[in-house]
Amino acid sequence: MSMPRPLHALPKAHLHLHFTGSMRHSTLIELAREQGLHLPDALEQDWPPKLRATDERGWFRFQRLYDIARSVLTKPEYVYRLLRETAEDEVAAGSRWLEIQVDPSGYAQRFGGLTATLELMLDAVEQASAHAGIGMAVVVAANRTRHPLDANTLARLATQYADRNVVGFGLSNDERRGQAREFERAFRIAKRGGLLSVPHGGELMGPRSVAQCVDDLGADRVGHGVRAAEDDWLMQRLADRQICCEICPTSNVGLGGRRAAGRRAAAPVVRRGGCRSRWAPTTPPAVRYAAAAPVRAGQGGLRVLRRGGGRAGPPVRTVLIRPRVRAQGAAQGRGRLAGRLTRVIRRP
């Protein structure tokens, strides 16, 4: 199929990217060597690592690699560098809007506490946005493996910065640890403060995990959500309520949740039940594989664009395409753009 524009030139918004996971592999290697830190072979010579996180042992290995990658971010200047490079990569891929997820708890000890850490990251986001000319916002994410009271604290903190580009509150890590209902109060705090509810669900566990995100946490979007396709009734509920699933093919394949990359990994959710889907690779250093194919929104719903026609561009790492959404520059219109994206996600 001939394309009127090359893939990297198609407008996109990236709604599912984790802070540490956005780091370039070359930056990970450079920062580790600069500080004399040893990296395991899986993060250096044997790149990309072979992972299967569908059991607890495999998830532990993945999380250990992720924590090692996080350990190289020891100075504020490294945070600024990571976000500047991430913004540059997004622009190169044609992205016009980026929502990056972060759990400040993972960095609080080294950067002076939760509040200081979040303020550091928000300032780095603002500078990266201005540098690269892309709209950027932050989703504060709680950790399922920690106590729900910690999530309450994060939710209150996030709402205090709703006027500084914090747009959502999430819940990540191993779905087998921590039921969604245990975090209901945190999400109620966040929604009362005007933030979107964007928990992870349906990545490692089945449709019930997605349903719990909807019923217990009032999800506006579900991170991953790919296993919702196993339940026709749930798919109809998602479609009726216009709840968006952030499909992440490269992550699902990289962690063993799906066996086929790209289109086939997400096709069941894209094509069934009228459910809205947004594709995002969610590319942590440990699972950065092939780029996902982008999708186009049209009268017939979402359809996959083949990699034909036009010149080859940088790897496509963001795959939401809504032609009527237009980034309005780095210094202006962030709030208006976030609002327009929210309305697009919630409405037909």
Side-chain angles (χ1 to χ4, degrees):
M1 179 182 69
S2 178
M3 292 179 59
R5 284 182 289 176
L7 290 177
H8 72 279
L10 295 173
K12 311 169 192 75
H14 198 163
L15 304 181
H16 191 130
L17 181 65
H18 293 271
F19 175 74
T20 304
S22 69
M23 189 178 353
R24 294 173 180 171
H25 183 234
S26 59
T27 298
L28 170 65
I29 300 299
E30 182 180 333
L31 293 182
R33 290 177 178 169
E34 181 179 317
Q35 299 171 81
L37 300 176
H38 172 73
L39 295 177
D41 290 345
L43 291 180
E44 198 160 354
Q45 294 99 327
D46 297 336
W47 183 265
K50 296 178 177 62
L51 297 168
R52 185 167 183 82
T54 51
D55 56 53
E56 292 192 14
R57 181 179 179 182
W59 183 270
F60 176 81
R61 179 172 182 260
F62 160 69
Q63 193 62 53
R64 182 177 65 87
L65 293 175
Y66 202 91
D67 290 342
I68 291 171
R70 182 188 290 119
S71 71
V72 308
L73 300 170
T74 57
K75 301 178 182 179
E77 52 263 40
Y78 297 158
V79 173
Y80 285 97
R81 173 180 174 177
L82 182 152
L83 285 165
R84 182 179 66 253
E85 291 178 348
T86 297
E88 292 170 350
D89 292 344
E90 289 292 318
V91 170
S95 180
R96 298 178 175 183
W97 176 259
L98 169 64
E99 291 179 15
I100 192 162
Q101 297 191 35
V102 65
D103 176 4
S105 306
Y107 305 88
Q109 285 190 328
R110 67 190 77 167
F111 294 134
L114 287 175
T115 300
T117 299
L118 183 56
E119 290 186 345
L120 167 65
M121 292 181 176
L122 288 172
D123 186 61
V125 163
E126 290 174 1
Q127 291 196 25
S129 175
H131 164 74
I134 180 176
M136 296 178 67
V138 171
V139 171
V140 174
N143 189 331
R144 281 183 184 265
T145 67
R146 299 179 64 120
H147 197 281
L149 290 177
D150 293 330
N152 296 349
T153 299
L154 283 176
R156 293 188 185 96
L157 176 65
T159 60
Q160 294 174 22
Y161 292 88
D163 61 345
R164 279 197 61 189
N165 286 345
V166 174
V167 296
F169 187 71
L171 181 65
S172 57
N173 213 306
D174 191 346
E175 288 174 83
R176 293 162 294 212
R177 304 268 302 278
Q179 297 292 313
R181 62 176 176 270
E182 297 172 8
F183 300 91
E184 182 272 338
R185 177 167 173 75
F187 278 81
R188 187 151 33 93
I189 293 169
K191 295 204 84 168
R192 191 166 57 231
L195 302 181
L196 291 170
S197 171
V198 289
H200 286 44
E203 176 186 18
L204 301 175
M205 297 186 69
R208 185 184 175 192
S209 176
V210 178
Q212 289 173 341
C213 289
V214 174
D215 296 333
D216 298 328
L217 306 182
D220 298 292
R221 303 195 313 250
V222 178
H224 298 282
V226 66
R227 295 194 63 185
E230 299 169 15
D231 187 319
D232 290 338
W233 179 75
L234 175 59
M235 289 291 291
Q236 189 59 53
R237 289 185 63 204
L238 295 176
D240 290 344
R241 296 176 63 170
Q242 292 295 292
I243 295 172
C244 176
C245 292
E246 302 160 0
I247 305 301
C248 308
T250 54
S251 177
N252 299 145
V253 173
L255 292 178
R258 282 291 183 272
R259 288 173 297 189
R263 176 178 183 170
R264 288 171 291 173
V269 174
V270 170
R271 66 172 178 254
R272 290 182 55 196
C275 180
R276 292 187 175 277
S277 302
R278 303 293 179 264
W279 288 26
T282 182
T283 48
V287 292
R288 182 169 290 166
Y289 285 84
V295 294
R296 171 176 290 165
Q299 291 183 347
L302 298 174
R303 62 187 179 87
V304 179
L305 299 179
R306 297 187 181 90
R307 288 179 177 275
R311 64 182 182 84
V316 178
R317 301 191 337 177
T318 78
V319 284
L320 165 71
I321 300 177
R322 272 293 195 184
R324 67 174 175 271
V325 175
R326 296 288 184 266
Q328 300 168 25
Q332 295 180 336
R334 292 190 189 93
R336 293 194 299 277
L337 180 57
R340 291 174 69 185
L341 277 170
T342 299
R343 291 193 293 275
V344 167
I345 290 162
R346 287 178 173 168
R347 298 187 315 188

